[in-house]
């Protein structure tokens, strides 16, 4: 019997996908890898500042990363030390499914998991949106940063009938003054709980008079098992903001 691939994941959503689909393969993950809730592996630091020495001490067969979430110098250091590093690029929903297939194949998964089929079926069978809304989607404050062009989260929202105001901005995550965000007068302000943890007490007060939707960052930005329920969870939060 071929021994399982020893995997370190530097991407929270991929951590959940591998842990769910290849039990026993995952030996290390970042401090931000919160799913599955009972995940019991060695923690190797943050997505932006992983401990390369700690990763190397685990002797992984494969490190999985993402071109947006992880820094190129860290990945280069791992490669120079002899690690195989698989780097994903996810800019839209179809690409997420292709990259998940590639990651799971590299982790030794021989049968496509049911959750992945269900998630792909869910997204491919979405009905056309009955209405279309405009949105501002902050991802950080101090300074304020929002979704710009060519992002996975932006594509997720677009498929749910929400076009964000800065989708054509030259930057992927532009810094925009709060006054400009308010002046854009979107139909809804979408406030996820990650990477910045927007809450009812930290975010809504910045947009008086505008409908605001507090949404799950995991369902908006993660590409893994949460994809199957993302349209339902996000749709409910968006509808609640505009009763």
């Amino acid at each position: 019997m071929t021994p399982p691939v020893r995997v370190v994941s530097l991407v929270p959503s991929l951590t959940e996908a591998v842990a769910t689909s290849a039990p026993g393969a995952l030996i290390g993950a970042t401090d931000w890898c919160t799913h599955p809730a009972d995940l019991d592996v060695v923690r190797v630091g943050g997505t932006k500042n992983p401990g390369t020495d700690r990763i190397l001490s685990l002797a992984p067969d494969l490190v999985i990363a993402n071109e947006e979430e992880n820094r190129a110098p860290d990945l280069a250091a791992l490669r120079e030390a002899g690690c195989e590093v698989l780097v994903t690029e996810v800019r839209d929903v179809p690409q997420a499914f292709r990259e998940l297939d590639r990651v799971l194949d590299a982790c030794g998964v021989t049968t496509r998991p049911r959750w992945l089929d269900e998630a792909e079926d869910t997204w491919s069978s979405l009905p056309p949106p009955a209405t279309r809304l405009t949105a501002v989607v902050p991802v950080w404050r101090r300074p304020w940063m929002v979704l710009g062009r060519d992002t996975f989260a932006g594509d997720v929202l677009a498929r749910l009938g929400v076009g964000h105001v800065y989708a054509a901005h030259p930057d992927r995550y532009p810094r925009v003054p709060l006054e400009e965000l308010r002046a854009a007068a979107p139909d809804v302000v979408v406030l996820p709980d990650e990477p910045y943890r927007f809450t009812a007490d930290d975010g809504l007060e910045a947009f008086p008079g505008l409908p605001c939707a507090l949404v799950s960052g995991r369902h908006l930005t993660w590409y893994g098992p949460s994809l199957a329920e993302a349209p339902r969870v996000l749709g409910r939060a968006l509808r609640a903001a505009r009763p």
Side-chain angles (χ1 to χ4, degrees), residues 49-65:
N49 57 344
T52 53
D53 289 343
R54 191 160 200 186
I55 294 170
L56 295 172
S57 73
L58 297 174
D61 299 310
L62 179 68
V63 175
I64 52 179

Side-chain angles (χ1 to χ4, degrees), residues 3 23 73 159 207:
R159 291 168 187 272
F207 299 96

Side-chain angles (χ1 to χ4, degrees), residues 189-214:
V189 179
V190 178
L191 297 168
D193 61 9
E194 62 175 83
Y196 187 91
R197 188 171 180 79
F198 289 106
T199 68
D201 299 319
D202 187 354
L204 267 66
E205 80 292 340
F207 299 96
L210 291 175
C212 292
L214 290 168

Side-chain angles (χ1 to χ4, degrees), residues 16 29 47-48 120 139 182 209 233 239 243:
E16 183 179 16
T47 57
K48 303 298 185 188
E120 193 159 20
V139 294
R182 291 169 174 162
V233 173
R239 287 191 298 273

